[in-house]
Amino acid sequence: MKFGVVTFPGSNCDEDMIHVLEGLGQPVVRLWHKDHDLQGVDMVVLPGGFSFGDYLRSGAIARFSPIMQEVAAHAKKGGLVLGVCNGFQVLCEAGLVPGALLHNEGQKFISKNVHIRPATRKTLLTSAVPDKALTIPIAHGEGRYHADAATLKALQEGDQVLFRYCDADGKIHDGANPNGSKENIAGVCNKGRNVFGMMPHPERACDPRLGNTDGRSLFDSLLSAVLA
C-alpha cells in the first residue's frame, strides 16, 4: 500500500508518520504542500503540527495549499485520506469531514496520554482495533470537536464517529473528555468512509521503545482490511 505524507510549512509530525509507515514495510513518498501530483499513492496522510503557524485558525490556511485540490479529488474518487491532529483540522476546514475543531475548554494546550475506544467497526481504520481503551497521546490547543445538533445526529445515524474519549476502563463520560469535545468525539469519517480525521496521535504510540504500541492497532487494521 503506497502512502503519501504531506508536509506543510509548520508540520512537525510528518517524519514520525513516515517512520511508522516505513517500519510497517510500506512504501512512502514525501509530498510538499505546493505539489500538484500525488504520485499514485493509495492513501494521503495529513500529519500533525502547526501548519502556517496556526494563524487565523488551525488548518485555515493549509486547506488552500495547492496539494489540497489533489487531495480533494483523490477523496472524491474514493481514495483514502487520513488527517491526524493538525491534519484533522485541515480536513475540517476543507470540508472533507464534518465539524470543526475549536479551542480546548480552559484555553490551554494539552499534551498527555489519553484513552480512546473505537465507536464503529465499519471503517478500514477501526475494523480490527480491539474494543477496549487505547492509550494514545494528544498534543493540541484547538482539539475540541464541535458540530451542530443536526450534524451530530447525522454522524450518529451514519455511524461516522471513529473514536470517543474514555477512561482507562473504556467508560465514556465527561470526566474522560480532555478538551470538551461534543459527545466525547475524538475522530470522525466522511459519509463515503474513506476520509478519516482524528485528534490523538496513533503514530506516537507504535514503537516499543516508547513503552506503548496501542496506536499500531489502527495501522494494522487499515493494512489488513485493504489487503483483504
Side-chain angles (χ1 to χ4, degrees):
M1 185 175 178
K2 187 177 181 181
F3 289 84
V5 178
V6 178
T7 298
F8 299 96
S11 296
N12 64 14
C13 296
D14 43 351
E15 291 298 327
D16 303 57
M17 186 65 72
I18 291 167
H19 171 75
V20 169
L21 294 172
E22 289 184 338
L24 292 171
Q26 305 306 305
V28 183
V29 296
R30 290 167 168 81
L31 301 173
W32 181 236
H33 77 114
K34 290 187 178 182
D35 289 348
H36 290 276
D37 182 4
L38 297 183
Q39 300 183 44
V41 303
D42 301 300
M43 184 172 212
V44 178
V45 182
L46 307 183
F50 303 90
S51 59
F52 294 93
D54 280 352
Y55 291 113
L56 299 182
R57 293 182 309 276
S58 297
I61 300 176
R63 65 86 74 236
F64 290 107
S65 286
I67 201 165
M68 287 306 296
Q69 298 177 25
E70 311 306 323
V71 174
H74 176 73
K76 188 175 182 180
K77 292 185 293 186
L80 299 173
V81 181
L82 169 63
V84 174
C85 198
N86 187 232
F88 186 15
Q89 295 162 339
V90 176
L91 290 178
C92 286
E93 290 288 337
L96 294 178
V97 292
L101 282 310
L102 307 181
H103 284 286
N104 300 338
E105 282 187 348
Q107 305 296 303
K108 291 183 178 181
F109 186 90
I110 304 172
S111 180
K112 65 177 185 179
N113 282 324
V114 299
H115 300 290
I116 62 173
R117 65 179 299 173
T120 179
R121 291 289 176 197
K122 297 180 181 179
T123 74
L124 300 176
L125 193 67
T126 61
S127 62
V129 174
D131 186 17
K132 66 174 186 177
L134 304 174
T135 302
I136 308 289
I138 59 170
H140 57 247
E142 296 178 46
R144 177 163 58 99
Y145 184 79
H146 178 80
D148 60 26
T151 300
L152 291 171
K153 181 180 179 183
L155 286 172
Q156 186 65 31
E157 292 177 348
D159 199 18
Q160 291 171 245
V161 177
L162 296 174
F163 299 98
R164 297 186 193 274
Y165 297 109
C166 65
D167 63 22
D169 296 320
K171 296 178 181 177
I172 298 167
H173 54 83
D174 289 345
N177 191 334
N179 51 31
S181 290
K182 287 288 184 72
E183 299 184 2
N184 284 51
I185 291 174
V188 300
C189 67
N190 65 338
K191 288 183 179 179
R193 316 187 84 73
N194 62 305
V195 182
F196 316 104
M198 60 184 296
M199 286 310 295
H201 286 269
E203 79 282 2
R204 295 186 182 182
C206 288
D207 194 322
R209 290 172 293 182
L210 299 177
N212 181 11
T213 57
D214 281 1
R216 178 165 176 160
S217 64
L218 279 69
F219 298 104
D220 287 341
S221 174
L222 174 69
L223 293 172
S224 62
V226 169
L227 290 173

